[in-house]
Amino acid sequence: MQSISTKHLLGIKDLTANDIHLILETAKEFKDVINRPIKKVPSLRDVTIANVFFENSTRTRLSFELAEKRLSADVVNFSASGSSVKKGETLLDTVNNILAMKVDMVVMRHSSPGAPHYLSKHIKANIVNAGDGTHEHPTQALLDAFSMQEKLGDLAGKKVAIIGDILHSRVALSNIFCLQKLGAEVMVCGPNTLLPKYIREIGVKVEHNVQTALQWCDVANVLRIQLERQQIKYFPSLREYSLYFGINKKMLDELNKDIVLMHPGPINRGVELTSDAADSHHSIILDQVENGVAVRMAVLYLLAQQN
């Protein structure tokens, strides 16, 4: 069997195209598993995985926990809000205390970009980055690519528009790296204030008109406005943002082709997407959630083989 080229999953930037193909192929097999009457396999029996979340999460945390349990791993959940972090304990001390209990793998979400990379230099366990600040969210990009492949086949030459708050999004950067490695063309679309200054330098197209972006793309991946990360006002109001950059079903129906609509969640209905668009036949948002479990099973399984 092929093996992945890295001990940790810190970001898509560190993966080769072969690694991505291997993860997506392995995920196909695990998707068959989770659709069987008995959804468990003993692949990670006797492996202990700690989910260490220093930031709020619903989908990602549940998805990882379910993936771990489907693989028969032993799971430990850690939440910073009720822990000694509140008493001033450092990140390294927190994780070393968890590892002293003989944990083999750490799935970590942190508000500081680079936190999993820092940790990977100091501990022996495998680390999976479940989102580090506004930097990367690799498993989200992998499940997005998997969902697109299911719908469109090979992604080489396909056109993907990422629409919304690119500046504060960890999903955007991971998606751009992943799609480029799979041969897709990427466009970002949003108000100037929500696009990173040097975004063109990583080889993406830039557009400020949503209708033009929708007409250009095969897939529209819509991101929410991350108000919790914004210290200043980047646009006058949510109503105005919705007016210029929101997507509704009428806009999708007026296109002269069928496009795929995606969203990493949580959706702010009525802001970036109206309900009739989010629930339309274009949308594969719930498929993304289902595929998240299979892709995370594949990642955990392949990393565990590295020990």
Side-chain angles (χ1 to χ4, degrees), residues 43-117:
S43 310
L44 295 192
R45 190 187 289 155
D46 299 329
V47 173
T48 305
I49 303 174
N51 296 319
V52 182
F53 279 66
F54 291 87
E55 251 190 347
N56 294 338
S57 171
T58 306
R59 264 161 314 282
T60 303
R61 187 170 184 161
L62 279 175
S63 187
F64 266 112
E65 194 174 337
L66 208 49
E68 291 150 8
K69 288 177 174 174
R70 295 277 187 256
L71 291 165
S72 307
D74 297 318
V75 181
V76 183
N77 285 314
F78 167 92
S79 168
S81 56
S83 73
S84 294
V85 171
K86 293 286 180 198
K87 301 174 188 172
E89 188 171 64
T90 67
L91 168 62
L92 195 55
D93 282 342
T94 299
V95 175
N96 274 328
N97 275 292
I98 293 166
L99 294 180
M101 301 173 204
K102 303 294 176 239
V103 167
D104 305 296
M105 203 179 286
V106 175
V107 174
M108 183 170 114
R109 169 167 288 189
H110 202 281
S111 57
S112 300
H117 304 70

Side-chain angles (χ1 to χ4, degrees), residues 4-76:
I4 198 167
S5 69
T6 172
K7 178 180 162 67
H8 311 288
L9 178 60
L10 302 176
I12 299 292
K13 207 173 183 179
D14 308 317
L15 297 180
T16 64
N18 282 343
D19 289 335
I20 295 170
H21 285 297
L22 177 60
I23 292 167
L24 300 183
E25 282 304 310
T26 311
K28 270 185 203 165
E29 294 169 35
F30 282 126
K31 186 161 184 188
D32 292 340
V33 168
I34 60 176
N35 282 305
R36 296 189 317 211
I38 297 170
K39 298 174 175 64
K40 247 184 167 180
V41 285
S43 310
L44 295 192
R45 190 187 289 155
D46 299 329
V47 173
T48 305
I49 303 174
N51 296 319
V52 182
F53 279 66
F54 291 87
E55 251 190 347
N56 294 338
S57 171
T58 306
R59 264 161 314 282
T60 303
R61 187 170 184 161
L62 279 175
S63 187
F64 266 112
E65 194 174 337
L66 208 49
E68 291 150 8
K69 288 177 174 174
R70 295 277 187 256
L71 291 165
S72 307
D74 297 318
V75 181
V76 183

Side-chain angles (χ1 to χ4, degrees), residues 184-201:
E185 286 182 66
V186 185
M187 173 188 280
V188 294
C189 174
N192 242 328
T193 50
L194 291 177
L195 298 180
K197 199 173 177 183
Y198 302 108
I199 190 77
R200 282 184 175 87
E201 290 180 17

Side-chain angles (χ1 to χ4, degrees), residues 233-300:
K233 259 182 134 40
Y234 288 87
F235 47 86
S237 67
L238 284 177
R239 185 170 175 273
E240 187 159 323
Y241 178 87
S242 176
L243 210 60
Y244 286 98
F245 294 96
I247 295 171
N248 57 49
K249 189 164 185 294
K250 184 169 176 283
M251 292 164 75
L252 299 173
D253 290 341
E254 282 170 359
L255 299 174
N256 56 14
K257 58 179 182 177
D258 244 7
I259 67 164
V260 177
L261 189 64
M262 302 175 72
H263 194 301
I267 305 171
N268 290 325
R269 287 176 184 255
V271 181
E272 68 268 14
L273 277 181
T274 59
S275 285
D276 58 0
D279 303 330
S280 69
H281 73 278
H282 298 277
S283 166
I284 58 165
I285 295 168
L286 289 178
D287 296 344
Q288 288 173 264
V289 179
E290 182 187 346
N291 292 337
V293 178
V295 166
R296 289 175 176 122
M297 285 173 79
V299 165
L300 295 166

